[in-house]
Amino acid sequence: MSISLKQFSKACWSEVYNRIIGAVVFLDDYSAECLHWDGGLFNLITNGAVAVKSLSPFECAKKNQKKAVFITQATNTQLQTIHQIISNSDITHCIVISCVSFEIVYLEINNGKDVSDTVLAEKAQAEATNQLENLLINWVGKQQCVVEVVYIPLFTISPTNVVFLTPPYRNLYPTYDEKLTPDTPSFDLYSLSRDERFLVRSLASSLNNMFGSMNMKEDIFYMGAFSSLIAGILENSPICVTRRKNCSNPVSLILVDRTLDLCGVTSHSTESVLDKVMAVLPKFPGHSNDVAVDMSSLCEANIFTKGSYLDEVQLSPGCLFHANDDSCVQTYDHMINKSEKEVMFDLYNKLSKLDVQKSPGPKVLLKVTPQSIEKIISASKGNYDIIIKHLGLLQQGLGVVQTLKSPKLSELQLLMSLERQVQQNLAASRDSTSVLNQISHLIKARKQRNLSLENLLALLTHVYSLVGTEVIFNKQHEESVQESLSVAILEDHKSLFACEFEHPMTLEKSQAIAKKIMDRFKEISQMRSILQKYNSVIKPCETGTGHEYRGVLQQLVEDLVDTDRPEMVDLRHRNEGIKDLLRSGLNILTSKKKTTKHPLDNSTVILFVVGGITAEECKQLHRSIITSGVDNVVLIGSTKFVTPIEAMKDVLNIQRYKD
């Protein structure tokens, strides 16, 4: 690679920083999350921004602030928001930084019109630029004004050197107008809803620009119907074809649908500290990949609780990732790749060195507990010189302590135990009928067992994905689960849907929702039926006793790095088919059988999971790669980090049932 993914992201933000001197910066949540992983708010301030605000119709620039920079996904809704902000301000210099390519912006602006000729002629970029500039000139409404529109692909964050995520595409999921499978075998982009099409095109376009910036020429592999759509755009889009002609670094891009294996993302059986923290603590406001850490134990300020200000002071939450602190970046990497014990010792050793006079001195401990870390952190309370100097590390320490001391952790441990029981029951008897009965009882007794309905739905998602087509559940037992769910939804619908219903929930309505959810579970069990080799994820343990879960991604990567290069029949290469026949037609009688293209033929491989991934999966996949001894650089990408509850809500699309 000519540059790394971190360097690509930093180069993009450098372009932003060059344009913000003296400006009020308005940015959307997606851009704000990407900024957080580059260094955060102070990167904008230190590079010359006079103010930073949310891209909201309720915001505006002050009277004396004449320059505004908008960082946006450039959807029609966001463009209207920019219009409102400009109307409420008195700016004369306006810059719009679009995080999606102008080809996509052109389709968005001209939604409903036939613009195929312009796109095919590769004139969409110029047309979108002209249209946006004219809109801005009209909105500013002054003869003497400066407007500029620029595309900067702000869409990647890099939690580690080998893992990257794409926050603007956190809502992209392998569905076809809310269905898990397309209605017909022959499907295209128009099998998707308008919003889904926009996200698919935007992701493909963003990847294209990233490859161009990194001088990459990709071979595209895919597994899953949805990934084939993204692969098709990257393979056939005129702008992608043109870019590949000018790039020289070969790379293999492997796209995989998350829906092929939902076990890994709905499992609570994780060694990763990061997965535990994300499952326990609330999300950092507006973000999908970081958490909010309660900082009140370090400060004398009161926190915002129960809808009212206490002493009119609000304490901002802390978080886990701190890009400008190398020590914190290392600790964050440990939260993904090291054991809980190693993370605890790492935190203890670093925190022990903060303030020798106030903190307990480093000791040789056999075990570091949350209490021992908490004791060191508490010693820094009120010492704001120490707090400011080591704020990132203190936030990470508090985040881990709050997780390990949370009552939620016992619920997660119970769910881990249940998952192991289910796994062994199914492995021992593929026609096992006790599993659903057990879960049905758990749903009924959930409050006595301190189990949330959300986590039990995640467990059911895990079970149905785990068994796939190998187990046919008893119809009566499924009906029993459905009945239990309907009663639970009636009782817990407000917390499940996190909103008030327009009309009161009735038993009839909860029964209808329960039926739809059960139908979805049955769809989930069928997702791997299209696979030949990776259709089962319950495998005998290497020790010879018992069975274990080995996910589709894990099996794929193990085959990928196997020196014997076994045939990966489920991994399709975008160039397979008629093109190969035509290319070899002249020599078909004399040539040997064409060797199948292998991802490791290229020195760099990017495995991208559409629909989310866990830190535990990243760790296991990376471990398989480095222990294999292959020389290839293998990067792991996805749309976001997910927790079991988030993964369940994504695949069930739970919010659609609230109406």
Side-chain angles (χ1 to χ4, degrees):
M1 292 184 293
S2 54
I3 61 172
S4 70
L5 277 168
K6 282 191 175 182
Q7 289 172 323
F8 163 73
S9 179
K10 284 197 170 294
C12 291
W13 279 107
S14 293
E15 288 190 50
V16 173
Y17 302 147
N18 290 337
R19 289 175 165 83
I20 63 173
I21 298 173
V24 183
V25 178
F26 298 89
L27 69 170
D28 61 26
D29 282 350
Y30 305 114
S31 308
E33 182 166 8
C34 291
L35 174 67
H36 169 71
W37 292 77
D38 188 65
L41 171 67
F42 289 105
N43 279 18
L44 296 177
I45 301 299
T46 56
N47 281 282
V50 297
V52 181
K53 301 187 178 186
S54 173
L55 186 69
S56 162
F58 304 106
E59 296 284 4
C60 64
K62 293 180 180 178
K63 190 75 174 175
N64 63 333
Q65 295 169 337
K66 302 298 182 182
K67 180 181 177 182
V69 174
F70 300 93
I71 307 177
T72 172
Q73 306 304 303
T75 63
N76 280 325
T77 301
Q78 289 191 344
L79 290 175
Q80 285 304 310
T81 298
I82 292 172
H83 184 191
Q84 288 178 274
I85 292 172
I86 292 173
S87 299
N88 296 327
S89 307
D90 189 29
I91 61 176
T92 56
H93 187 175
C94 179
I95 301 174
V96 168
I97 296 174
S98 173
C99 301
V100 297
S101 72
F102 286 133
E103 291 81 6
I104 305 302
V105 175
Y106 183 69
L107 294 173
E108 180 74 358
I109 293 174
N110 296 282
N111 180 47
K113 301 177 184 177
D114 184 4
V115 293
S116 54
D117 290 343
T118 305
V119 173
L120 290 172
E122 298 187 44
K123 295 179 180 178
Q125 181 175 343
E127 287 295 322
T129 303
N130 289 334
Q131 288 182 339
L132 282 174
E133 286 177 346
N134 289 333
L135 285 173
L136 292 176
I137 290 170
N138 289 333
W139 293 345
V140 173
K142 295 180 175 66
Q143 287 188 338
Q144 298 296 322
C145 69
V146 177
V147 301
E148 180 186 0
V149 294
V150 60
Y151 166 46
I152 302 176
L154 304 170
F155 79 105
T156 62
I157 62 174
S158 298
T160 74
N161 289 328
V162 297
V163 177
F164 72 99
L165 306 169
T166 58
Y169 305 112
R170 63 195 187 200
N171 294 325
L172 181 63
Y173 201 77
T175 53
Y176 310 83
D177 197 12
E178 298 189 348
K179 302 180 185 71
L180 288 184
T181 52
D183 290 329
T184 60
S186 57
F187 58 94
D188 56 20
L189 277 174
Y190 290 92
S191 305
L192 311 180
S193 68
R194 181 177 177 274
D195 289 344
E196 290 166 347
R197 279 200 304 277
F198 176 80
L199 287 173
V200 166
R201 284 169 167 157
S202 298
L203 174 61
S205 179
S206 294
L207 290 171
N208 174 66
N209 192 279
M210 182 180 82
F211 291 147
S213 298
M214 300 174 76
N215 192 29
M216 286 179 169
K217 180 178 182 179
E218 75 278 9
D219 281 317
I220 307 170
F221 301 81
Y222 64 91
M223 197 158 67
F226 195 86
S227 289
S228 73
L229 295 177
I230 302 171
I233 297 172
L234 283 169
E235 183 69 28
N236 300 316
S237 172
I239 194 168
C240 296
V241 172
T242 301
R243 185 259 308 158
R244 270 195 297 275
K245 291 177 181 177
N246 300 317
C247 292
S248 57
N249 289 343
V251 62
S252 295
L253 173 66
I254 303 174
L255 298 162
V256 181
D257 287 4
R258 179 74 265 177
T259 46
L260 293 175
D261 181 6
L262 293 162
C263 306
V265 284
T266 52
S267 173
H268 296 85
S269 300
T270 178
E271 293 181 2
S272 168
V273 173
L274 181 61
D275 281 338
K276 292 176 184 177
V277 173
M278 292 191 70
V280 169
L281 299 187
K283 282 284 187 286
F284 196 78
H287 289 228
S288 58
N289 299 293
D290 209 338
V291 297
V293 178
D294 181 358
M295 300 296 292
S296 59
S297 62
L298 272 182
C299 307
E300 296 171 1
N302 290 310
I303 59 171
F304 179 69
T305 57
K306 298 181 182 178
S308 63
Y309 285 100
L310 300 178
D311 296 340
E312 298 184 352
V313 175
Q314 181 178 1
L315 182 63
S316 297
C319 58
L320 291 184
F321 192 81
H322 302 271
N324 296 326
D325 187 328
D326 290 342
S327 178
C328 289
V329 171
Q330 181 194 53
T331 298
Y332 189 91
D333 187 286
H334 290 346
M335 288 184 189
I336 296 176
N337 292 309
K338 303 286 187 181
S339 68
E340 182 179 309
K341 180 180 178 181
E342 290 172 305
V343 171
M344 296 293 278
F345 269 103
D346 173 67
L347 282 169
Y348 183 84
N349 290 331
K350 288 176 178 175
L351 287 164
S352 295
K353 298 172 185 176
L354 295 194
D355 185 354
V356 177
Q357 292 181 342
K358 284 197 171 185
S359 299
K363 300 176 183 177
V364 179
L365 297 180
L366 296 177
K367 183 179 181 181
V368 176
T369 65
Q371 288 76 16
S372 56
I373 290 179
E374 189 175 37
K375 185 177 180 181
I376 299 177
I377 294 173
S378 298
S380 300
K381 182 172 183 177
N383 189 337
Y384 293 106
D385 290 336
I386 293 294
I387 292 172
I388 291 170
K389 190 175 180 181
H390 302 285
L391 188 56
L393 182 60
L394 290 167
Q395 290 175 65
Q396 290 180 326
L398 281 172
V400 172
V401 167
Q402 288 164 21
T403 298
L404 297 181
K405 291 183 67 179
S406 170
K408 288 184 180 179
L409 203 61
S410 60
E411 181 184 9
L412 303 188
Q413 289 167 345
L414 174 57
L415 288 161
M416 287 171 60
S417 174
L418 292 170
E419 286 170 19
R420 285 194 290 268
Q421 288 179 35
V422 167
Q423 189 173 294
Q424 292 308 317
N425 285 346
L426 292 172
S429 175
R430 293 300 170 103
D431 61 347
S432 173
T433 57
S434 64
V435 171
L436 290 189
N437 265 343
Q438 186 181 8
I439 295 176
S440 182
H441 290 310
L442 283 172
I443 294 171
K444 293 173 184 175
R446 66 191 182 283
K447 292 179 181 176
Q448 294 91 324
R449 302 291 296 273
N450 289 320
L451 289 168
S452 69
L453 179 57
E454 289 177 323
N455 271 320
L456 289 169
L457 285 171
L459 178 62
L460 277 165
T461 306
H462 178 82
V463 167
Y464 272 87
S465 183
L466 187 71
V467 302
T469 56
E470 296 177 77
V471 176
I472 304 299
F473 286 122
N474 182 288
K475 186 178 179 181
Q476 287 181 322
H477 292 161
E478 288 190 314
E479 288 173 352
S480 176
V481 169
Q482 184 174 314
E483 184 180 344
S484 300
L485 276 178
S486 66
V487 175
I489 291 167
L490 181 65
E491 295 173 348
D492 297 355
H493 64 275
K494 289 183 180 179
S495 60
L496 178 61
F497 295 99
C499 67
E500 291 288 341
F501 278 61
E502 187 175 338
H503 303 290
M505 176 63 74
T506 63
L507 180 58
E508 184 180 17
K509 187 169 184 177
S510 69
Q511 287 173 336
I513 293 173
K515 183 181 185 307
K516 289 177 181 177
I517 289 175
M518 288 302 296
D519 289 342
R520 191 69 141 193
F521 287 146
K522 292 170 188 176
E523 284 185 78
I524 289 168
S525 69
Q526 299 297 313
M527 296 309 297
R528 285 193 301 278
S529 60
I530 63 170
L531 303 180
Q532 299 176 51
K533 188 174 183 181
Y534 307 135
N535 58 357
S536 176
V537 294
I538 303 175
K539 302 291 183 181
C541 292
E542 293 181 359
T543 58
T545 56
H547 288 71
E548 63 182 353
Y549 161 71
R550 280 180 51 230
V552 169
L553 292 174
Q554 186 67 33
Q555 293 179 57
L556 172 65
V557 167
E558 287 172 359
D559 281 351
L560 176 71
V561 298
D562 190 333
T563 53
D564 292 335
R565 291 205 173 186
E567 188 176 1
M568 294 185 285
V569 292
D570 294 316
L571 189 65
R572 304 295 301 276
H573 185 235
R574 184 63 200 176
N575 282 331
E576 286 174 352
I578 191 67
K579 287 184 180 179
D580 289 335
L581 291 176
L582 293 173
R583 200 178 293 122
S584 61
L586 293 175
N587 301 317
I588 200 166
L589 296 177
T590 57
S591 64
K592 295 180 181 179
K593 182 181 178 181
K594 187 179 186 300
T595 304
T596 303
K597 186 75 176 176
H598 193 281
L600 290 192
D601 291 343
N602 299 320
S603 59
T604 301
V605 179
I606 298 174
L607 172 63
F608 190 87
V609 183
V610 183
I613 199 167
T614 66
E616 180 72 17
E617 286 180 310
C618 291
K619 178 179 74 173
Q620 295 294 343
L621 296 177
H622 182 54
R623 185 172 293 172
S624 295
I625 293 159
I626 60 175
T627 56
S628 70
V630 298
D631 294 329
N632 306 66
V633 174
V634 182
L635 304 175
I636 302 164
S638 188
T639 43
K640 60 183 175 182
F641 278 144
V642 285
T643 66
I645 288 177
E646 290 164 352
M648 174 275 294
K649 288 184 175 181
D650 282 340
V651 71
L652 297 185
N653 196 1
I654 204 78
Q655 289 303 317
R656 69 185 172 139
Y657 302 128
K658 72 180 187 295
D659 300 323

